[in-house]
Amino acid sequence: KDPILRDVIVVASTLSLFGSVFILLCYVLFKELRKFSYKLVFFLALSDMFYSFFNIVGDPSMGNFYYAQGYSTHFFCVASFLWTTTIAFTLHRTVVRHKTDVEDLGPLFHLYVWGTSLVMTIMGSIGNDYGLGLWCWTKVSQTGNVVRFITFYAPLWGAILFNAFTYFQVIRMLRNATRMAVGMSDHTYQFDSRADMKAINRWVYYPLILIFSWAFGTINHIHDFIRPGKHLFWLSVLDVGTSGLMGLSNSIAYGINSSVRRAICERINIWPERFRRWLPAIKLRVQESELVSL
């Protein structure tokens, strides 16, 4: 059964790797995207890229090098969900608290994300005889299970709760503001506000990405702790499959927004007609709110 799990990890992580690389290329190639908000998305994609890469190459047959890859996987996975909290915090501080100093917090964000990830990775190696990473998470000791809960699942679900609470406050405030504006404006603005509301409602799904990616992993971890040695193969498949797709989900939700689509369309429109006619039609709603891109 292990070869099947390896195949699932490799396929899911490969899709995430491509999605993350796409976001990184957009940031590098399109200068208009190099704003502070999208810079946070860049580091999120960077963490997802390395997490996916080490999942792909983390073959248990590679000996000591395999353990180094496992630690790298743990480090960048923690960094990934921590970067989502910086995005949520930035949004909350800008929209709800009306602060304009978020760019000054960039160095603190890096210290918080990379420092916490390093500490969690070092702590995660305590009492662990098999290494870290998705390749080994289905065969750890009881002590390793406890340590993994403290160093991974506890901060993970803390990040999920923080994101959910933060986005709830932001969405509630923006919805109320939009309704008040619609009530005092004409029909034209009411039509435009539908795009704003659609952008706002899209934020509801952001906290769900981490839940989708790690719900089965959490259940699998609890099951292995309660019944050690009695692994459920189907649950392990869902565990490694959904967690491996985290990078792809983040790329779609955080990275591919109206600004990215607009930049791509502008480049495609300058191509010769003979090349453009082979591409699928890309519809871009120019009036779509830039709230989608923070």
Side-chain angles (χ1 to χ4, degrees):
K1 294 180 180 180
D2 282 346
I4 297 178
L5 289 178
R6 287 197 293 268
D7 291 341
V8 173
I9 294 173
V10 169
V11 172
S13 298
T14 300
L15 293 174
S16 293
L17 180 64
F18 285 139
S20 301
V21 170
F22 174 79
I23 300 304
L24 296 177
L25 288 176
C26 288
Y27 181 84
V28 172
L29 296 176
F30 305 145
K31 293 182 179 180
E32 60 268 32
L33 296 179
R34 298 175 191 174
K35 302 175 182 179
F36 180 75
S37 58
Y38 207 80
K39 185 179 294 185
L40 298 178
V41 177
F42 170 84
F43 286 110
L44 171 62
L46 187 68
S47 300
D48 286 332
M49 182 191 70
F50 282 112
Y51 169 64
S52 301
F53 171 76
F54 286 115
N55 272 337
I56 295 171
V57 301
D59 193 328
S61 64
M62 303 180 77
N64 292 332
F65 185 58
Y66 160 64
Y67 289 94
Q69 291 170 321
Y71 297 137
S72 300
T73 302
H74 189 273
F75 175 86
F76 287 109
C77 186
V78 174
S80 175
F81 65 70
L82 290 182
W83 278 117
T84 67
T85 63
T86 66
I87 295 174
F89 176 84
T90 299
L91 194 60
H92 183 273
R93 189 170 181 84
T94 303
V95 176
V96 178
R97 301 187 62 186
H98 306 291
K99 301 291 185 178
T100 60
D101 60 346
V102 287
E103 295 192 29
D104 299 332
L105 301 177
L108 291 179
F109 286 166
H110 284 281
L111 180 62
Y112 154 69
V113 172
W114 304 125
T116 304
S117 300
L118 180 61
V119 171
M120 292 297 104
T121 302
I122 294 174
M123 292 177 58
S125 63
I126 300 175
N128 196 330
D129 300 327
Y130 295 96
L132 302 173
L134 289 179
W135 295 94
C136 310
W137 284 15
T138 57
K139 49 181 180 180
V140 296
S141 62
Q142 285 294 81
T143 303
N145 263 322
V146 175
V147 173
R148 178 150 295 119
F149 178 82
I150 296 173
T151 61
F152 185 83
Y153 287 104
L156 167 68
W157 284 97
I160 291 174
L161 292 176
F162 173 82
N163 288 351
F165 178 75
T166 300
Y167 282 113
F168 170 76
Q169 287 191 319
V170 172
I171 292 171
R172 182 179 61 178
M173 179 174 181
L174 290 178
R175 280 178 175 172
N176 292 337
T178 302
R179 291 192 185 101
M180 291 178 60
V182 169
M184 299 187 308
S185 61
D186 55 17
H187 177 74
T188 302
Y189 181 81
Q190 293 181 25
F191 176 79
D192 294 337
S193 67
R194 296 174 185 174
D196 295 339
M197 291 300 297
K198 183 178 179 180
I200 295 171
N201 292 334
R202 184 178 176 181
W203 287 341
V204 175
Y205 300 103
Y206 287 5
L208 297 180
I209 294 174
L210 288 178
I211 297 177
F212 165 77
S213 298
W214 294 104
F216 292 109
T218 304
I219 297 172
N220 196 25
H221 174 83
I222 296 174
H223 175 269
D224 289 344
F225 181 78
I226 296 175
R227 303 188 64 184
K230 303 291 184 179
H231 303 299
L232 297 177
F233 176 71
W234 64 269
L235 187 57
S236 297
V237 171
L238 291 175
D239 175 4
V240 300
T242 54
S243 55
L245 290 173
M246 180 178 66
L248 179 64
S249 302
N250 285 335
S251 300
I252 295 174
Y254 290 96
I256 305 178
N257 52 50
S258 61
S259 298
V260 173
R261 295 196 299 272
R262 180 178 294 106
I264 294 175
C265 288
E266 290 174 353
R267 270 62 174 188
I268 291 178
N269 287 336
I270 64 177
W271 290 5
E273 178 62 28
R274 63 178 180 274
F275 295 122
R276 281 188 289 145
R277 65 186 179 184
W278 293 103
L279 296 174
I282 302 177
K283 297 181 180 180
L284 174 66
R285 295 180 58 181
V286 179
Q287 75 273 16
E288 183 178 355
S289 173
E290 287 303 312
L291 290 173
V292 177
S293 57
L294 303 183

